[in-house]
Amino acid sequence: MVICDRCGTRMPAVRATIEAKIGRAYRGLDLTLDCFPEDDVPDDPNAAIRAIGSMKPGDVAIIFTPDDTHFSIASAAIAAGLHVLVAKPIVKSLQEHKQLVALAKKHNVLLAVEYHKRFDPIYSDARNRARQLGPFSYYYSYMAQPKQQLDTFRCAGSCLHVGHILGCEDGVLGCTCLVQLHGAAQAAARH
C-alpha cells in the first residue's frame, strides 16, 4: 500500500494505528506501507502527486483530503491510469465533476464517490424514525468534536472546513490520506 498525508511527521502514528486496528485483527495480512512524505517532513503539499507517481495503472486511489484538493489529486490519479474513489463532495463544481467523468472515460478507469456514514445502522434508524414524524418546519443540528480531533487537520490550512470531513478520517487513520490497493484492475474487470 501507498499512504500519503501532507504531514509526514504523522506517519509513525499512522503505521501504529494500522498495525493495531488491522494487523492484529487480520494476522498475516501484508501491511507494508510506502509512506509519502517521509517521517521527518512536517509539511509537503505535493506529497499526493509523488505518491501517485509511485503507483501503477490499475491500482486504486482512495482520496479523502480537503475538498479543494479533490479535483487536482483525482485528475492526476486518473491520468496515471488509477481507479479513483473520492470522499464526498467529489469536487466543488459541476464543471470539475464533468471534467473528471470525461477524464475517467478517456483513461478507461473507474471513478466513484464515497458517502461515509450513509448506510451506518444508527443513521438508517434515525432516517426511518424521522420519516414517521411527518414534515419538518424546523430542524437544528449540532456536531461536537474533541479539540484533539480538530488538531488532526492542522496541516490542511485554511482551505479545510473540518465539519465536512470529520467522521471520515477520524475513525480510520486520523489523517488525510491517499491509499493504493494492488490488484484493483482485476477486481474492476470482474464487475
Side-chain angles (χ1 to χ4, degrees), residues 59-61 78 81-85 104-105 107-112 184-185 187-189 191:
D59 288 342
V60 174
I78 291 169
L82 307 178
H83 302 287
V84 174
L85 175 65
K105 285 180 183 178
H107 291 278
N108 197 30
V109 296
L110 300 173
L111 171 65
H191 291 53

Side-chain angles (χ1 to χ4, degrees), residues 68-88:
D68 68 337
T69 66
H70 289 184
F71 181 74
S72 62
I73 296 171
S75 296
I78 291 169
L82 307 178
H83 302 287
V84 174
L85 175 65
V86 185
K88 68 150 178 83

Side-chain angles (χ1 to χ4, degrees), residues 68-159:
D68 68 337
T69 66
H70 289 184
F71 181 74
S72 62
I73 296 171
S75 296
I78 291 169
L82 307 178
H83 302 287
V84 174
L85 175 65
V86 185
K88 68 150 178 83
I90 190 166
V91 289
K92 295 179 90 174
S93 74
L94 180 59
Q95 178 183 357
E96 288 178 342
H97 189 106
K98 288 180 177 181
Q99 287 175 313
L100 279 185
V101 169
L103 194 60
K105 285 180 183 178
K106 175 182 173 184
H107 291 278
N108 197 30
V109 296
L110 300 173
L111 171 65
V113 63
E114 177 269 344
Y115 295 93
H116 62 278
K117 305 292 184 193
R118 166 101 179 162
F119 300 105
D120 283 3
I122 194 168
Y123 292 95
S124 295
D125 181 59
R127 185 174 49 252
N128 291 336
R129 289 173 188 244
R131 286 182 180 143
Q132 296 172 7
L133 298 174
F136 282 86
S137 60
Y138 177 76
Y139 174 79
Y140 177 79
S141 177
Y142 176 78
M143 183 178 89
Q145 296 291 335
K147 182 179 181 323
Q148 69 185 42
Q149 213 169 30
L150 298 176
D151 288 342
T152 299
F153 305 102
R154 196 171 351 135
C155 289
S158 61
C159 64

Side-chain angles (χ1 to χ4, degrees), residues 13-27 31 172:
V14 168
R15 286 191 295 274
T17 299
I18 288 173
E19 179 57 38
K21 305 263 180 174
I22 299 172
R24 290 183 189 141
Y26 300 96
R27 301 226 182 260
L31 297 178
V172 183

